Amino acid sequence: MQQANLYPDWLGEDVLAVAPRLIGCTLVNTTSLGPAGGVIVETEAYAGSNGDAASHAYRGQTARTAPMFESGGTVYLYRSYGIHICLNLVTGPAGQAQAVLIRALAPTVGLDLMAARRHTGVAADLCRGPGRVGQALGLALRQSGTRLGEGSLQLYAPETPPPEATIGRSRRIGITQAKDNLWRWYLKGSPYVSGPPSLRQ
DNA sequence: AGACGGATTGCCT
DNA sequence: GGCAATCCGTCTA
């Protein structure tokens, strides 16, 4: 069962500690159509101020990336390839520009709603991939800059986190810079994790 | 003011 | 496995 732990205070910790810890937490976005979400099974860390060339904040603060420079618990959304909306949870103290990309969820809340938004009834295809997460949850760009728990987006930490042995680690997916950092975490063997099979076991 | 390209996805062969 | 779709932030002039 989930604990009603909105905006866990450990989001203020370093992104490399928070990203793996988010595995097993439940994320829910509520719109006029109802709640939709699931259990986080795949995350990636981006650390702009740590010299991470793959981070949107690497070249400094802009209007788009401003939410990344807020403190942990802020929501950062961006449009990808002109089509998708991808969700990040900002971590660390303000000014650090750290964020965790939510790459995949095991769908648990609002299955019918997510199936309608995604035009598929296949559970494994609802939230497998960052673009799909944004579409399934009905995220809107104007939610970027809002705070977890204060808007329509809620985060629930589990009473007992998944055992460390069940969490895998790899390089990040789809980037061209700083690709050797092992800053991706995922629930081993889950059918809801994105990427090639070698990055899901 | 105009060009460029991406933390992706889905459909094609 | 290849590639088009599609938007807007960012960069250059």
Short mmCIF file of all heavy atoms in Angstrom, two decimals, chain C:
data_model
loop_
_atom_site.label_atom_id
_atom_site.label_comp_id
_atom_site.label_asym_id
_atom_site.label_seq_id
_atom_site.Cartn_x
_atom_site.Cartn_y
_atom_site.Cartn_z
P DG C 1 18.54 -3.90 -35.30
OP1 DG C 1 18.81 -3.18 -34.18
OP2 DG C 1 18.23 -5.25 -35.54
"O5'" DG C 1 18.11 -2.99 -36.54
"C5'" DG C 1 18.70 -3.32 -37.78
"C4'" DG C 1 18.14 -2.42 -38.85
"O4'" DG C 1 16.72 -2.63 -38.98
"C3'" DG C 1 18.33 -0.93 -38.57
"O3'" DG C 1 18.72 -0.29 -39.77
"C2'" DG C 1 16.95 -0.47 -38.10
"C1'" DG C 1 16.03 -1.38 -38.91
N9 DG C 1 14.74 -1.59 -38.27
C8 DG C 1 14.48 -2.14 -37.05
N7 DG C 1 13.22 -2.21 -36.76
C5 DG C 1 12.59 -1.65 -37.86
C6 DG C 1 11.21 -1.44 -38.14
O6 DG C 1 10.25 -1.71 -37.42
N1 DG C 1 11.02 -0.86 -39.39
C2 DG C 1 12.01 -0.53 -40.26
N2 DG C 1 11.64 0.02 -41.41
N3 DG C 1 13.30 -0.73 -40.02
C4 DG C 1 13.51 -1.28 -38.81
P DG C 2 19.24 1.23 -39.84
OP1 DG C 2 20.49 1.26 -40.62
OP2 DG C 2 19.22 1.74 -38.46
"O5'" DG C 2 18.11 1.97 -40.67
"C5'" DG C 2 17.56 1.37 -41.85
"C4'" DG C 2 16.49 2.28 -42.42
"O4'" DG C 2 15.22 2.01 -41.77
"C3'" DG C 2 16.77 3.76 -42.19
"O3'" DG C 2 16.36 4.49 -43.34
"C2'" DG C 2 15.91 4.11 -40.97
"C1'" DG C 2 14.72 3.17 -41.12
N9 DG C 2 14.13 2.76 -39.85
C8 DG C 2 14.79 2.26 -38.75
N7 DG C 2 14.00 1.96 -37.76
C5 DG C 2 12.74 2.29 -38.23
C6 DG C 2 11.47 2.19 -37.59
O6 DG C 2 11.21 1.77 -36.46
N1 DG C 2 10.45 2.63 -38.42
C2 DG C 2 10.62 3.11 -39.69
N2 DG C 2 9.52 3.50 -40.34
N3 DG C 2 11.80 3.20 -40.30
C4 DG C 2 12.81 2.78 -39.51
P DC C 3 16.80 6.01 -43.53
OP1 DC C 3 17.17 6.21 -44.94
OP2 DC C 3 17.74 6.36 -42.44
"O5'" DC C 3 15.44 6.79 -43.26
"C5'" DC C 3 14.25 6.40 -43.93
"C4'" DC C 3 13.05 7.08 -43.30
"O4'" DC C 3 12.70 6.41 -42.06
"C3'" DC C 3 13.30 8.55 -42.94
"O3'" DC C 3 12.14 9.29 -43.26
"C2'" DC C 3 13.49 8.50 -41.42
"C1'" DC C 3 12.50 7.40 -41.06
N1 DC C 3 12.73 6.78 -39.74
C2 DC C 3 11.63 6.49 -38.93
O2 DC C 3 10.50 6.75 -39.35
N3 DC C 3 11.83 5.93 -37.71
C4 DC C 3 13.06 5.67 -37.30
N4 DC C 3 13.21 5.13 -36.09
C5 DC C 3 14.20 5.97 -38.10
C6 DC C 3 14.00 6.52 -39.30
P DA C 4 12.29 10.78 -43.87
OP1 DA C 4 12.71 10.66 -45.28
OP2 DA C 4 13.07 11.60 -42.93
"O5'" DA C 4 10.77 11.27 -43.83
"C5'" DA C 4 9.73 10.33 -44.10
"C4'" DA C 4 8.57 10.56 -43.17
"O4'" DA C 4 8.83 9.95 -41.88
"C3'" DA C 4 8.25 12.03 -42.90
"O3'" DA C 4 6.85 12.21 -42.88
"C2'" DA C 4 8.89 12.27 -41.54
"C1'" DA C 4 8.73 10.93 -40.85
N9 DA C 4 9.79 10.62 -39.87
C8 DA C 4 11.14 10.80 -40.04
N7 DA C 4 11.85 10.42 -39.01
C5 DA C 4 10.91 9.97 -38.10
C6 DA C 4 11.03 9.43 -36.80
N6 DA C 4 12.19 9.25 -36.18
N1 DA C 4 9.89 9.07 -36.17
C2 DA C 4 8.73 9.26 -36.79
N3 DA C 4 8.49 9.75 -38.01
C4 DA C 4 9.64 10.09 -38.61
P DA C 5 6.26 13.67 -42.88
OP1 DA C 5 5.11 13.69 -43.79
OP2 DA C 5 7.37 14.63 -43.03
"O5'" DA C 5 5.70 13.79 -41.40
"C5'" DA C 5 4.87 12.75 -40.89
"C4'" DA C 5 4.50 13.04 -39.45
"O4'" DA C 5 5.58 12.64 -38.58
"C3'" DA C 5 4.25 14.52 -39.17
"O3'" DA C 5 3.13 14.64 -38.32
"C2'" DA C 5 5.53 14.98 -38.47
"C1'" DA C 5 5.95 13.72 -37.74
N9 DA C 5 7.38 13.60 -37.49
C8 DA C 5 8.40 14.06 -38.28
N7 DA C 5 9.60 13.80 -37.82
C5 DA C 5 9.36 13.11 -36.64
C6 DA C 5 10.20 12.55 -35.67
N6 DA C 5 11.54 12.59 -35.75
N1 DA C 5 9.64 11.93 -34.61
C2 DA C 5 8.31 11.89 -34.54
N3 DA C 5 7.40 12.38 -35.39
C4 DA C 5 8.00 12.98 -36.43
P DT C 6 2.21 15.93 -38.38
OP1 DT C 6 0.88 15.54 -37.91
OP2 DT C 6 2.39 16.58 -39.69
"O5'" DT C 6 2.89 16.83 -37.27
"C5'" DT C 6 2.91 16.39 -35.94
"C4'" DT C 6 3.73 17.33 -35.11
"O4'" DT C 6 5.11 17.02 -35.24
"C3'" DT C 6 3.56 18.80 -35.52
"O3'" DT C 6 3.27 19.58 -34.39
"C2'" DT C 6 4.90 19.17 -36.13
"C1'" DT C 6 5.83 18.22 -35.40
N1 DT C 6 7.10 17.92 -36.15
C2 DT C 6 8.04 17.12 -35.54
O2 DT C 6 7.88 16.66 -34.44
N3 DT C 6 9.17 16.90 -36.28
C4 DT C 6 9.45 17.39 -37.54
O4 DT C 6 10.50 17.13 -38.09
C5 DT C 6 8.42 18.22 -38.11
C7 DT C 6 8.61 18.77 -39.46
C6 DT C 6 7.31 18.44 -37.40
P DC C 7 2.51 20.98 -34.65
OP1 DC C 7 1.09 20.81 -34.30
OP2 DC C 7 2.90 21.54 -35.96
"O5'" DC C 7 3.20 21.86 -33.52
"C5'" DC C 7 3.25 21.33 -32.20
"C4'" DC C 7 4.51 21.82 -31.54
"O4'" DC C 7 5.67 21.30 -32.19
"C3'" DC C 7 4.67 23.33 -31.53
"O3'" DC C 7 4.51 23.74 -30.19
"C2'" DC C 7 6.06 23.59 -32.09
"C1'" DC C 7 6.71 22.21 -32.01
N1 DC C 7 7.72 21.89 -33.03
C2 DC C 7 9.01 21.47 -32.63
O2 DC C 7 9.27 21.43 -31.43
N3 DC C 7 9.91 21.11 -33.56
C4 DC C 7 9.59 21.17 -34.86
N4 DC C 7 10.52 20.79 -35.74
C5 DC C 7 8.30 21.59 -35.30
C6 DC C 7 7.40 21.94 -34.36
P DC C 8 4.20 25.22 -29.78
OP1 DC C 8 3.22 25.18 -28.68
OP2 DC C 8 3.96 26.04 -30.98
"O5'" DC C 8 5.60 25.63 -29.16
"C5'" DC C 8 6.21 24.78 -28.21
"C4'" DC C 8 7.69 25.10 -28.13
"O4'" DC C 8 8.36 24.59 -29.29
"C3'" DC C 8 7.97 26.61 -28.11
"O3'" DC C 8 9.03 26.84 -27.23
"C2'" DC C 8 8.39 26.89 -29.54
"C1'" DC C 8 9.17 25.61 -29.82
N1 DC C 8 9.41 25.35 -31.26
C2 DC C 8 10.55 24.65 -31.63
O2 DC C 8 11.32 24.25 -30.75
N3 DC C 8 10.78 24.41 -32.94
C4 DC C 8 9.91 24.85 -33.86
N4 DC C 8 10.18 24.59 -35.14
C5 DC C 8 8.74 25.57 -33.51
C6 DC C 8 8.53 25.80 -32.21
P DG C 9 8.92 27.93 -26.10
OP1 DG C 9 7.88 27.47 -25.17
OP2 DG C 9 8.85 29.25 -26.73
"O5'" DG C 9 10.34 27.77 -25.39
"C5'" DG C 9 10.78 26.48 -25.01
"C4'" DG C 9 12.25 26.32 -25.35
"O4'" DG C 9 12.42 26.12 -26.77
"C3'" DG C 9 13.12 27.51 -24.98
"O3'" DG C 9 14.35 27.01 -24.47
"C2'" DG C 9 13.30 28.23 -26.31
"C1'" DG C 9 13.32 27.08 -27.30
N9 DG C 9 12.85 27.40 -28.65
C8 DG C 9 11.75 28.14 -29.00
N7 DG C 9 11.57 28.22 -30.29
C5 DG C 9 12.61 27.47 -30.83
C6 DG C 9 12.93 27.19 -32.18
O6 DG C 9 12.35 27.54 -33.20
N1 DG C 9 14.07 26.39 -32.29
C2 DG C 9 14.80 25.93 -31.21
N2 DG C 9 15.86 25.18 -31.50
N3 DG C 9 14.50 26.19 -29.94
C4 DG C 9 13.40 26.96 -29.83
P DT C 10 15.37 27.96 -23.79
OP1 DT C 10 16.00 27.20 -22.70
OP2 DT C 10 14.72 29.26 -23.51
"O5'" DT C 10 16.45 28.16 -24.94
"C5'" DT C 10 17.10 27.00 -25.47
"C4'" DT C 10 17.89 27.36 -26.71
"O4'" DT C 10 16.99 27.64 -27.80
"C3'" DT C 10 18.77 28.61 -26.55
"O3'" DT C 10 20.12 28.23 -26.77
"C2'" DT C 10 18.25 29.58 -27.61
"C1'" DT C 10 17.57 28.64 -28.60
N1 DT C 10 16.51 29.25 -29.42
C2 DT C 10 16.51 29.03 -30.78
O2 DT C 10 17.37 28.38 -31.33
N3 DT C 10 15.48 29.61 -31.46
C4 DT C 10 14.46 30.38 -30.92
O4 DT C 10 13.59 30.85 -31.64
C5 DT C 10 14.50 30.57 -29.50
C7 DT C 10 13.45 31.38 -28.83
C6 DT C 10 15.52 29.99 -28.82
P DC C 11 21.33 29.27 -26.57
OP1 DC C 11 22.37 28.53 -25.85
OP2 DC C 11 20.80 30.53 -26.04
"O5'" DC C 11 21.82 29.50 -28.06
"C5'" DC C 11 21.97 28.38 -28.94
"C4'" DC C 11 22.14 28.85 -30.36
"O4'" DC C 11 20.86 29.29 -30.87
"C3'" DC C 11 23.10 30.05 -30.51
"O3'" DC C 11 24.01 29.78 -31.57
"C2'" DC C 11 22.17 31.22 -30.84
"C1'" DC C 11 21.02 30.50 -31.56
N1 DC C 11 19.74 31.23 -31.51
C2 DC C 11 18.99 31.40 -32.68
O2 DC C 11 19.44 30.92 -33.74
N3 DC C 11 17.83 32.08 -32.62
C4 DC C 11 17.39 32.56 -31.46
N4 DC C 11 16.22 33.21 -31.47
C5 DC C 11 18.13 32.40 -30.26
C6 DC C 11 19.29 31.73 -30.32
P DT C 12 25.31 30.69 -31.75
OP1 DT C 12 26.44 29.76 -31.95
OP2 DT C 12 25.36 31.70 -30.67
"O5'" DT C 12 25.02 31.46 -33.11
"C5'" DT C 12 24.64 30.70 -34.27
"C4'" DT C 12 24.10 31.62 -35.33
"O4'" DT C 12 22.78 32.09 -34.95
"C3'" DT C 12 24.96 32.89 -35.57
"O3'" DT C 12 25.19 33.02 -36.96
"C2'" DT C 12 24.09 34.03 -35.05
"C1'" DT C 12 22.69 33.46 -35.25
N1 DT C 12 21.66 34.04 -34.36
C2 DT C 12 20.45 34.42 -34.89
O2 DT C 12 20.20 34.32 -36.07
N3 DT C 12 19.56 34.93 -33.99
C4 DT C 12 19.76 35.09 -32.63
O4 DT C 12 18.87 35.56 -31.92
C5 DT C 12 21.03 34.66 -32.14
C7 DT C 12 21.34 34.80 -30.68
C6 DT C 12 21.93 34.15 -33.02
P DA C 13 26.17 34.20 -37.54
OP1 DA C 13 26.98 33.59 -38.63
OP2 DA C 13 26.83 34.87 -36.40
"O5'" DA C 13 25.14 35.22 -38.20
"C5'" DA C 13 24.15 34.74 -39.12
"C4'" DA C 13 23.28 35.90 -39.56
"O4'" DA C 13 22.31 36.17 -38.50
"C3'" DA C 13 24.03 37.20 -39.79
"O3'" DA C 13 23.56 37.81 -40.97
"C2'" DA C 13 23.68 38.05 -38.57
"C1'" DA C 13 22.29 37.56 -38.25
N9 DA C 13 21.89 37.74 -36.86
C8 DA C 13 22.67 37.52 -35.75
N7 DA C 13 22.04 37.77 -34.61
C5 DA C 13 20.78 38.18 -35.02
C6 DA C 13 19.63 38.60 -34.29
N6 DA C 13 19.59 38.66 -32.98
N1 DA C 13 18.54 38.96 -35.01
C2 DA C 13 18.59 38.89 -36.34
N3 DA C 13 19.61 38.51 -37.12
C4 DA C 13 20.67 38.18 -36.39
#
